[in-house]
Amino acid sequence: MLIRPARPSDLDAIVAFTTETFDWGDYVPRMLPEWLADTHGIVMVATDDDDAPIAMARAVFLTDTEVWSHAARVHPDHRGRGIAGIVPALEPEDHDR
C-alpha cells in the first residue's frame, strides 16, 4: 500500500467507493473535484498494489500551524484493516506540495 496525494485521474475510483457511504449517500463525490483543485488543502489516498485508490482523506491548511483533517473514507472491501488510521498526518510544510 502506498499513501500519496490524489490526482484528477483518481476521481472515478474515489467516487465509486464514496457514493453510498451513508444511508443518505455522501458529500464526497460532489465536493471532490473542488477539493482536488483547492490550493489550501490536499486529498491523500491509500492505494493498492495496482495504484488504485482504496481510501482517502482530505486536509485543509487553516494556518501555518493548523491542519483540519476530515472526509476519511475507505473502500468497503478494505474496511476494518486500520487503513484510515495510517493516512499520515500532514505537517504545515506539506502545504507547499
Side-chain angles (χ1 to χ4, degrees):
M1 179 172 26
L2 174 72
I3 308 291
R4 62 166 173 77
R7 302 184 288 246
S9 60
D10 296 325
L11 183 69
D12 289 344
I14 296 170
V15 167
F17 71 81
T18 59
T19 298
E20 297 181 12
T21 304
F22 307 104
D23 290 341
W24 50 267
D26 200 332
Y27 63 89
V28 170
R30 178 174 42 86
M31 296 303 300
L32 191 57
E34 180 180 327
W35 292 346
L36 290 173
D38 183 7
T39 59
H40 298 293
I42 190 168
V43 176
M44 299 294 290
V45 293
T47 63
D48 64 14
D49 292 337
D50 295 321
D51 199 40
I54 59 171
M56 59 86 51
R58 178 174 186 244
V60 179
F61 304 102
L62 301 174
T63 69
D64 289 341
T65 59
E66 297 174 300
V67 177
W68 174 48
S69 182
H70 70 109
R73 304 288 189 272
V74 178
H75 188 291
D77 294 345
H78 299 277
R79 292 180 185 156
R81 297 175 33 206
I83 294 172
I86 64 171
V87 176
L90 296 170
E91 297 297 328
E93 60 268 15
D94 290 333
H95 185 275
D96 297 329
R97 13 179 197 163

